[in-house]
Amino acid sequence: MMSKIRYAVVGSGWRSLFYIRIAKALPEIFELTALLCRSQEKADRFRKEYGIRAVTSDREVLDSDPDFIVSAVSETSIAETAAKWMHSGLPVLSETPAGLSFEQLEMLWDLYEKSGYRIQMAEQYQFYPRYD
């Protein structure tokens, strides 16, 4: 039997709901180890509404022992958030955009290419029809 795919989600906006649904729909395959929220109020709401482990500190995320981090934060902080978690040694699955400037993209590339940290972008639009 295959072991579960364990992940933690950083961010509590609408994109994070997709990763909660994945874990709820396929609990034999996926396990959401923690959802990192910016406030205790929001963590309490997610805990009550979805029955998940919602936390407010990086330490609690690391203690949940995920296989990787899903970065589902606002686009203004997504590059820095991904880099921070890459520095923790965990692979990162990041929502798009990867960054808002060439400098941010270059920073992520350097972390990946030169330092060996792992990152992947979650992009579904490549499969949408194209209209010219």
Side-chain angles (χ1 to χ4, degrees), residues 59-90:
R59 176 82 279 164
E60 291 172 293
V61 171
L62 291 170
D63 288 346
S64 75
D65 196 28
D67 296 329
F68 63 95
I69 297 292
V70 174
S71 178
V73 297
S74 69
E75 62 184 32
T76 57
S77 58
I78 199 151
E80 290 78 15
T81 299
K84 174 179 133 181
W85 287 99
M86 290 166 75
H87 280 292
S88 78
L90 287 166

Side-chain angles (χ1 to χ4, degrees), residues 17-75:
L17 297 176
F18 291 99
Y19 296 96
I20 294 170
R21 288 185 199 118
I22 289 167
K24 294 285 189 182
L26 299 166
E28 66 282 358
I29 300 172
F30 298 102
E31 181 180 347
L32 175 61
T33 64
L35 176 80
L36 181 60
C37 301
R38 282 187 288 190
S39 71
Q40 188 62 53
E41 179 183 59
K42 202 163 201 182
D44 291 343
R45 185 169 52 90
F46 270 86
R47 203 174 298 117
K48 181 179 178 185
E49 192 169 333
Y50 298 100
I52 61 170
R53 181 177 183 200
V55 300
T56 58
S57 75
D58 295 351
R59 176 82 279 164
E60 291 172 293
V61 171
L62 291 170
D63 288 346
S64 75
D65 196 28
D67 296 329
F68 63 95
I69 297 292
V70 174
S71 178
V73 297
S74 69
E75 62 184 32

